[in-house]
Structure formats: C-alpha cells, structure tokens
Amino acid sequence: MGETGIVTDAWGWLTTGAHWTGDEGIGQRLAEHVYVSGAALLIAAALALPLGLWLGHLGRGGALAVNVSNVGRAIPVFAVLALFMVSPLRNAGYVPTVVALVLFAIPPLLTNAYVGVREVDRAAVRAARGMGMTGGQLFRRVELPLARPVVMTGVRSAAVQVVATATVAAMVGQGGLGRIITAGFATYDTAQVVAGALLVALLALLVEGVLVGADRLFERRERTNERTLTGDG
C-alpha cells in the first residue's frame, strides 16, 4: 500500500462516525489527552515559572537550578512511568502520568523563564533603578514585560512536548490518544495507527497556535496600554 493509500485509509477511519463515540471513541480519548496534558502543563508552570523568574531577577543560583532541571531531559518519560507502575502510585489513576509529564515539562519552562529575565537589557534595568523603582516594581514593569517573548517560547515548547509525549500513557494502560495508536498496533490496523498519530500532531499544532495567538493578543494590549499612558494616538 502506497503512502497515498495509507493517508486515504486514515482519513476514512477518522471520518467514520462510530469511531468518535463511546468509551473507546476519539471524543473520549481526546478529552483524556487534553485533561492529562493540561493538568501537567499547569502544574509544571506553577512550579517552574515563579522559580525561574525569581532566580532571574535575583541573578543568583539560576544557572545551577537550570542545569539540575535539565537532567530531566535525559530521563525518558516512559522510564519514569515504569517506575511509578511498580510503586504505590500505580493505583492512583492518572497521577503517575501527570507527575512524569510535569518532570518533563519543567526544564524548558524554568530555563526560558530564567534566561528571559537575565537577558533583559541591563541599561533598561539601571535606568529603572535610577528612577527609584523598587525591586518589585522593576520586576513587574521592566523585566517581566521584556522577558515575556522568551518565557512564552518556553511555554509553547513545553506544551507541544507534553501533548506529544502524553501518548506514552497508553503504554501503561492509561487513556489519551495514545490508546488509539496502541489499539491499531494490536490489531495491525495501519490506518488507525496513522489516524491516531495525525490526531496527536493536529492537537499539538492547535495548542501551539492558541498560545501564539494569546501571546500576540497580550502584546497588542500592552502596546495599546502604552499608547494610552503616553497619550500617543
């Protein structure tokens, strides 16, 4: 079967209504995937972003924290999940998957938050201090706005990686779009395997697009507020 035939069969599988309903349907698997990925990303962001931004603001200890967190990049998520499956957490539902994904998402979030603040133009920082800004005012009004593009790059990178990696949950009996892929392998259904992979890729692209759009909207509002404050336009 050629590549065109595989894509056609995968499209046919995706457009079959019966594949979207029920406990094993695409709708249920998609909801599971979004839930696990979203929970992991939110928890990782809550842990990594404040720490990275704070260390970047202080300018101390950040390099060590980033290097330690980057060790997580070398640890396969499936290996972490396998360890959890032989621990008391094996009966805790999605907890092992979420924890493994959180560990996977922290490095890009922490690294970009720290680097984003540290790369802020030092001349702007000195000027802000010269104007009498406190540390908190300097962080909120100067460092955070200027670091936002780098921070958001880390958020987008972490989000896409989490969405793609969440498919491994199926290998330890959890839900998500990975179950469609593993079920296809189990039945030698190439169309189903390709369809599952396409769904994961499309979801990752959608998440990336939403975050890019949110970032641009926030930037547009910032510029509007700046023009309002300066009386320009």
Side-chain angles (χ1 to χ4, degrees), residues 99-124:
V99 172
L101 291 175
V102 166
L103 296 176
F104 184 67
I106 282 177
L109 291 169
L110 180 60
T111 300
N112 280 56
Y114 173 75
V115 172
V117 175
R118 293 311 302 160
E119 287 187 348
V120 169
D121 188 353
R122 294 298 100 185

PDB file of all heavy atoms in Angstrom, residues 99-124:
ATOM      1  N   VAL A  99       2.553  13.292  36.872  1.00  0.00           N
ATOM      2  CA  VAL A  99       3.830  13.580  37.537  1.00  0.00           C
ATOM      3  C   VAL A  99       4.997  13.435  36.558  1.00  0.00           C
ATOM      4  O   VAL A  99       5.903  14.280  36.516  1.00  0.00           O
ATOM      5  CB  VAL A  99       4.031  12.654  38.748  1.00  0.00           C
ATOM      6  CG1 VAL A  99       5.434  12.811  39.326  1.00  0.00           C
ATOM      7  CG2 VAL A  99       2.990  12.948  39.825  1.00  0.00           C
ATOM      8  N   ALA A 100       4.978  12.371  35.761  1.00  0.00           N
ATOM      9  CA  ALA A 100       6.049  12.168  34.785  1.00  0.00           C
ATOM     10  C   ALA A 100       6.096  13.297  33.769  1.00  0.00           C
ATOM     11  O   ALA A 100       7.180  13.784  33.414  1.00  0.00           O
ATOM     12  CB  ALA A 100       5.854  10.825  34.075  1.00  0.00           C
ATOM     13  N   LEU A 101       4.945  13.746  33.321  1.00  0.00           N
ATOM     14  CA  LEU A 101       4.895  14.838  32.345  1.00  0.00           C
ATOM     15  C   LEU A 101       5.305  16.170  32.971  1.00  0.00           C
ATOM     16  O   LEU A 101       5.907  17.017  32.302  1.00  0.00           O
ATOM     17  CB  LEU A 101       3.493  14.944  31.744  1.00  0.00           C
ATOM     18  CG  LEU A 101       3.078  13.795  30.826  1.00  0.00           C
ATOM     19  CD1 LEU A 101       1.630  13.951  30.397  1.00  0.00           C
ATOM     20  CD2 LEU A 101       3.978  13.729  29.589  1.00  0.00           C
ATOM     21  N   VAL A 102       4.987  16.360  34.239  1.00  0.00           N
ATOM     22  CA  VAL A 102       5.414  17.574  34.934  1.00  0.00           C
ATOM     23  C   VAL A 102       6.939  17.630  34.975  1.00  0.00           C
ATOM     24  O   VAL A 102       7.550  18.671  34.682  1.00  0.00           O
ATOM     25  CB  VAL A 102       4.840  17.619  36.362  1.00  0.00           C
ATOM     26  CG1 VAL A 102       5.551  18.681  37.203  1.00  0.00           C
ATOM     27  CG2 VAL A 102       3.346  17.917  36.319  1.00  0.00           C
ATOM     28  N   LEU A 103       7.564  16.522  35.327  1.00  0.00           N
ATOM     29  CA  LEU A 103       9.027  16.472  35.361  1.00  0.00           C
ATOM     30  C   LEU A 103       9.619  16.745  33.985  1.00  0.00           C
ATOM     31  O   LEU A 103      10.692  17.354  33.861  1.00  0.00           O
ATOM     32  CB  LEU A 103       9.491  15.102  35.872  1.00  0.00           C
ATOM     33  CG  LEU A 103       9.102  14.751  37.313  1.00  0.00           C
ATOM     34  CD1 LEU A 103       9.534  13.325  37.640  1.00  0.00           C
ATOM     35  CD2 LEU A 103       9.722  15.733  38.291  1.00  0.00           C
ATOM     36  N   PHE A 104       8.921  16.324  32.952  1.00  0.00           N
ATOM     37  CA  PHE A 104       9.382  16.511  31.579  1.00  0.00           C
ATOM     38  C   PHE A 104       9.206  17.970  31.137  1.00  0.00           C
ATOM     39  O   PHE A 104      10.002  18.480  30.341  1.00  0.00           O
ATOM     40  CB  PHE A 104       8.599  15.581  30.662  1.00  0.00           C
ATOM     41  CG  PHE A 104       9.044  15.598  29.233  1.00  0.00           C
ATOM     42  CD1 PHE A 104      10.294  15.117  28.858  1.00  0.00           C
ATOM     43  CD2 PHE A 104       8.209  16.084  28.236  1.00  0.00           C
ATOM     44  CE1 PHE A 104      10.703  15.136  27.542  1.00  0.00           C
ATOM     45  CE2 PHE A 104       8.613  16.092  26.913  1.00  0.00           C
ATOM     46  CZ  PHE A 104       9.863  15.618  26.559  1.00  0.00           C
ATOM     47  N   ALA A 105       8.170  18.635  31.652  1.00  0.00           N
ATOM     48  CA  ALA A 105       7.853  19.997  31.200  1.00  0.00           C
ATOM     49  C   ALA A 105       8.632  21.067  31.942  1.00  0.00           C
ATOM     50  O   ALA A 105       8.788  22.190  31.436  1.00  0.00           O
ATOM     51  CB  ALA A 105       6.351  20.257  31.359  1.00  0.00           C
ATOM     52  N   ILE A 106       9.117  20.756  33.134  1.00  0.00           N
ATOM     53  CA  ILE A 106       9.776  21.782  33.945  1.00  0.00           C
ATOM     54  C   ILE A 106      11.034  22.367  33.288  1.00  0.00           C
ATOM     55  O   ILE A 106      11.222  23.601  33.315  1.00  0.00           O
ATOM     56  CB  ILE A 106      10.088  21.230  35.356  1.00  0.00           C
ATOM     57  CG1 ILE A 106       8.810  21.231  36.190  1.00  0.00           C
ATOM     58  CG2 ILE A 106      11.183  22.030  36.033  1.00  0.00           C
ATOM     59  CD1 ILE A 106       8.981  20.648  37.577  1.00  0.00           C
ATOM     60  N   PRO A 107      11.938  21.561  32.693  1.00  0.00           N
ATOM     61  CA  PRO A 107      13.172  22.148  32.147  1.00  0.00           C
ATOM     62  C   PRO A 107      12.980  23.307  31.172  1.00  0.00           C
ATOM     63  O   PRO A 107      13.587  24.372  31.374  1.00  0.00           O
ATOM     64  CB  PRO A 107      13.859  20.947  31.493  1.00  0.00           C
ATOM     65  CG  PRO A 107      13.416  19.794  32.315  1.00  0.00           C
ATOM     66  CD  PRO A 107      11.985  20.091  32.655  1.00  0.00           C
ATOM     67  N   PRO A 108      12.170  23.176  30.102  1.00  0.00           N
ATOM     68  CA  PRO A 108      12.043  24.330  29.197  1.00  0.00           C
ATOM     69  C   PRO A 108      11.371  25.532  29.848  1.00  0.00           C
ATOM     70  O   PRO A 108      11.713  26.680  29.537  1.00  0.00           O
ATOM     71  CB  PRO A 108      11.196  23.780  28.038  1.00  0.00           C
ATOM     72  CG  PRO A 108      10.488  22.588  28.593  1.00  0.00           C
ATOM     73  CD  PRO A 108      11.421  22.010  29.599  1.00  0.00           C
ATOM     74  N   LEU A 109      10.444  25.288  30.766  1.00  0.00           N
ATOM     75  CA  LEU A 109       9.774  26.399  31.445  1.00  0.00           C
ATOM     76  C   LEU A 109      10.747  27.143  32.351  1.00  0.00           C
ATOM     77  O   LEU A 109      10.834  28.382  32.314  1.00  0.00           O
ATOM     78  CB  LEU A 109       8.594  25.871  32.266  1.00  0.00           C
ATOM     79  CG  LEU A 109       7.400  25.326  31.473  1.00  0.00           C
ATOM     80  CD1 LEU A 109       6.435  24.598  32.404  1.00  0.00           C
ATOM     81  CD2 LEU A 109       6.679  26.446  30.746  1.00  0.00           C
ATOM     82  N   LEU A 110      11.471  26.408  33.166  1.00  0.00           N
ATOM     83  CA  LEU A 110      12.413  27.018  34.099  1.00  0.00           C
ATOM     84  C   LEU A 110      13.553  27.708  33.369  1.00  0.00           C
ATOM     85  O   LEU A 110      13.925  28.845  33.691  1.00  0.00           O
ATOM     86  CB  LEU A 110      12.965  25.943  35.045  1.00  0.00           C
ATOM     87  CG  LEU A 110      13.979  26.399  36.098  1.00  0.00           C
ATOM     88  CD1 LEU A 110      13.364  27.442  37.009  1.00  0.00           C
ATOM     89  CD2 LEU A 110      14.474  25.206  36.910  1.00  0.00           C
ATOM     90  N   THR A 111      14.097  27.029  32.371  1.00  0.00           N
ATOM     91  CA  THR A 111      15.228  27.596  31.629  1.00  0.00           C
ATOM     92  C   THR A 111      14.854  28.896  30.939  1.00  0.00           C
ATOM     93  O   THR A 111      15.569  29.901  31.048  1.00  0.00           O
ATOM     94  CB  THR A 111      15.741  26.580  30.587  1.00  0.00           C
ATOM     95  OG1 THR A 111      16.173  25.392  31.251  1.00  0.00           O
ATOM     96  CG2 THR A 111      16.896  27.164  29.786  1.00  0.00           C
ATOM     97  N   ASN A 112      13.744  28.903  30.220  1.00  0.00           N
ATOM     98  CA  ASN A 112      13.364  30.101  29.480  1.00  0.00           C
ATOM     99  C   ASN A 112      12.953  31.245  30.398  1.00  0.00           C
ATOM    100  O   ASN A 112      13.197  32.419  30.090  1.00  0.00           O
ATOM    101  CB  ASN A 112      12.233  29.780  28.506  1.00  0.00           C
ATOM    102  CG  ASN A 112      12.734  29.123  27.241  1.00  0.00           C
ATOM    103  OD1 ASN A 112      13.405  28.101  27.287  1.00  0.00           O
ATOM    104  ND2 ASN A 112      12.413  29.689  26.093  1.00  0.00           N
ATOM    105  N   ALA A 113      12.328  30.915  31.538  1.00  0.00           N
ATOM    106  CA  ALA A 113      11.964  31.972  32.481  1.00  0.00           C
ATOM    107  C   ALA A 113      13.216  32.639  33.043  1.00  0.00           C
ATOM    108  O   ALA A 113      13.298  33.873  33.121  1.00  0.00           O
ATOM    109  CB  ALA A 113      11.109  31.389  33.608  1.00  0.00           C
ATOM    110  N   TYR A 114      14.183  31.833  33.415  1.00  0.00           N
ATOM    111  CA  TYR A 114      15.423  32.378  33.968  1.00  0.00           C
ATOM    112  C   TYR A 114      16.194  33.177  32.913  1.00  0.00           C
ATOM    113  O   TYR A 114      16.590  34.323  33.147  1.00  0.00           O
ATOM    114  CB  TYR A 114      16.291  31.247  34.513  1.00  0.00           C
ATOM    115  CG  TYR A 114      17.666  31.689  34.946  1.00  0.00           C
ATOM    116  CD1 TYR A 114      17.842  32.388  36.131  1.00  0.00           C
ATOM    117  CD2 TYR A 114      18.789  31.428  34.152  1.00  0.00           C
ATOM    118  CE1 TYR A 114      19.108  32.817  36.528  1.00  0.00           C
ATOM    119  CE2 TYR A 114      20.050  31.848  34.539  1.00  0.00           C
ATOM    120  CZ  TYR A 114      20.197  32.532  35.719  1.00  0.00           C
ATOM    121  OH  TYR A 114      21.448  32.965  36.106  1.00  0.00           O
ATOM    122  N   VAL A 115      16.397  32.569  31.749  1.00  0.00           N
ATOM    123  CA  VAL A 115      17.166  33.222  30.692  1.00  0.00           C
ATOM    124  C   VAL A 115      16.459  34.485  30.207  1.00  0.00           C
ATOM    125  O   VAL A 115      17.095  35.508  29.937  1.00  0.00           O
ATOM    126  CB  VAL A 115      17.389  32.248  29.514  1.00  0.00           C
ATOM    127  CG1 VAL A 115      18.006  32.970  28.321  1.00  0.00           C
ATOM    128  CG2 VAL A 115      18.288  31.095  29.948  1.00  0.00           C
ATOM    129  N   GLY A 116      15.133  34.430  30.123  1.00  0.00           N
ATOM    130  CA  GLY A 116      14.384  35.598  29.657  1.00  0.00           C
ATOM    131  C   GLY A 116      14.627  36.822  30.525  1.00  0.00           C
ATOM    132  O   GLY A 116      14.836  37.933  30.007  1.00  0.00           O
ATOM    133  N   VAL A 117      14.606  36.638  31.834  1.00  0.00           N
ATOM    134  CA  VAL A 117      14.829  37.770  32.733  1.00  0.00           C
ATOM    135  C   VAL A 117      16.291  38.210  32.712  1.00  0.00           C
ATOM    136  O   VAL A 117      16.591  39.405  32.701  1.00  0.00           O
ATOM    137  CB  VAL A 117      14.398  37.402  34.168  1.00  0.00           C
ATOM    138  CG1 VAL A 117      14.733  38.542  35.138  1.00  0.00           C
ATOM    139  CG2 VAL A 117      12.904  37.111  34.217  1.00  0.00           C
ATOM    140  N   ARG A 118      17.201  37.248  32.676  1.00  0.00           N
ATOM    141  CA  ARG A 118      18.622  37.602  32.694  1.00  0.00           C
ATOM    142  C   ARG A 118      19.055  38.308  31.412  1.00  0.00           C
ATOM    143  O   ARG A 118      20.039  39.059  31.418  1.00  0.00           O
ATOM    144  CB  ARG A 118      19.494  36.347  32.897  1.00  0.00           C
ATOM    145  CG  ARG A 118      19.361  35.681  34.244  1.00  0.00           C
ATOM    146  CD  ARG A 118      19.473  36.656  35.398  1.00  0.00           C
ATOM    147  NE  ARG A 118      20.733  37.375  35.388  1.00  0.00           N
ATOM    148  CZ  ARG A 118      20.932  38.524  36.031  1.00  0.00           C
ATOM    149  NH1 ARG A 118      19.941  39.091  36.690  1.00  0.00           N
ATOM    150  NH2 ARG A 118      22.102  39.098  35.989  1.00  0.00           N
ATOM    151  N   GLU A 119      18.356  38.071  30.313  1.00  0.00           N
ATOM    152  CA  GLU A 119      18.733  38.700  29.047  1.00  0.00           C
ATOM    153  C   GLU A 119      18.094  40.069  28.835  1.00  0.00           C
ATOM    154  O   GLU A 119      18.296  40.699  27.801  1.00  0.00           O
ATOM    155  CB  GLU A 119      18.361  37.781  27.875  1.00  0.00           C
ATOM    156  CG  GLU A 119      19.270  36.562  27.757  1.00  0.00           C
ATOM    157  CD  GLU A 119      19.007  35.749  26.504  1.00  0.00           C
ATOM    158  OE1 GLU A 119      17.970  36.010  25.846  1.00  0.00           O
ATOM    159  OE2 GLU A 119      19.814  34.861  26.189  1.00  0.00           O
ATOM    160  N   VAL A 120      17.301  40.532  29.805  1.00  0.00           N
ATOM    161  CA  VAL A 120      16.736  41.877  29.709  1.00  0.00           C
ATOM    162  C   VAL A 120      17.872  42.897  29.665  1.00  0.00           C
ATOM    163  O   VAL A 120      18.863  42.777  30.403  1.00  0.00           O
ATOM    164  CB  VAL A 120      15.802  42.148  30.914  1.00  0.00           C
ATOM    165  CG1 VAL A 120      15.418  43.627  30.966  1.00  0.00           C
ATOM    166  CG2 VAL A 120      14.563  41.280  30.822  1.00  0.00           C
ATOM    167  N   ASP A 121      17.725  43.878  28.802  1.00  0.00           N
ATOM    168  CA  ASP A 121      18.752  44.911  28.624  1.00  0.00           C
ATOM    169  C   ASP A 121      19.119  45.518  29.987  1.00  0.00           C
ATOM    170  O   ASP A 121      18.279  46.105  30.673  1.00  0.00           O
ATOM    171  CB  ASP A 121      18.220  45.997  27.690  1.00  0.00           C
ATOM    172  CG  ASP A 121      19.287  47.008  27.301  1.00  0.00           C
ATOM    173  OD1 ASP A 121      20.400  46.941  27.854  1.00  0.00           O
ATOM    174  OD2 ASP A 121      18.993  47.879  26.463  1.00  0.00           O
ATOM    175  N   ARG A 122      20.386  45.370  30.365  1.00  0.00           N
ATOM    176  CA  ARG A 122      20.826  45.895  31.662  1.00  0.00           C
ATOM    177  C   ARG A 122      20.721  47.414  31.732  1.00  0.00           C
ATOM    178  O   ARG A 122      20.558  47.990  32.817  1.00  0.00           O
ATOM    179  CB  ARG A 122      22.271  45.481  31.928  1.00  0.00           C
ATOM    180  CG  ARG A 122      22.481  44.001  32.112  1.00  0.00           C
ATOM    181  CD  ARG A 122      21.714  43.487  33.337  1.00  0.00           C
ATOM    182  NE  ARG A 122      20.455  42.838  32.956  1.00  0.00           N
ATOM    183  CZ  ARG A 122      19.570  42.391  33.809  1.00  0.00           C
ATOM    184  NH1 ARG A 122      19.742  42.553  35.110  1.00  0.00           N
ATOM    185  NH2 ARG A 122      18.462  41.817  33.392  1.00  0.00           N
ATOM    186  N   ALA A 123      20.802  48.087  30.579  1.00  0.00           N
ATOM    187  CA  ALA A 123      20.659  49.545  30.573  1.00  0.00           C
ATOM    188  C   ALA A 123      19.254  49.939  31.014  1.00  0.00           C
ATOM    189  O   ALA A 123      19.068  50.912  31.750  1.00  0.00           O
ATOM    190  CB  ALA A 123      20.955  50.098  29.174  1.00  0.00           C
ATOM    191  N   ALA A 124      18.257  49.166  30.569  1.00  0.00           N
ATOM    192  CA  ALA A 124      16.870  49.438  30.972  1.00  0.00           C
ATOM    193  C   ALA A 124      16.696  49.195  32.466  1.00  0.00           C
ATOM    194  O   ALA A 124      15.988  49.945  33.148  1.00  0.00           O
ATOM    195  CB  ALA A 124      15.913  48.554  30.171  1.00  0.00           C
TER     196      ALA A 124
END
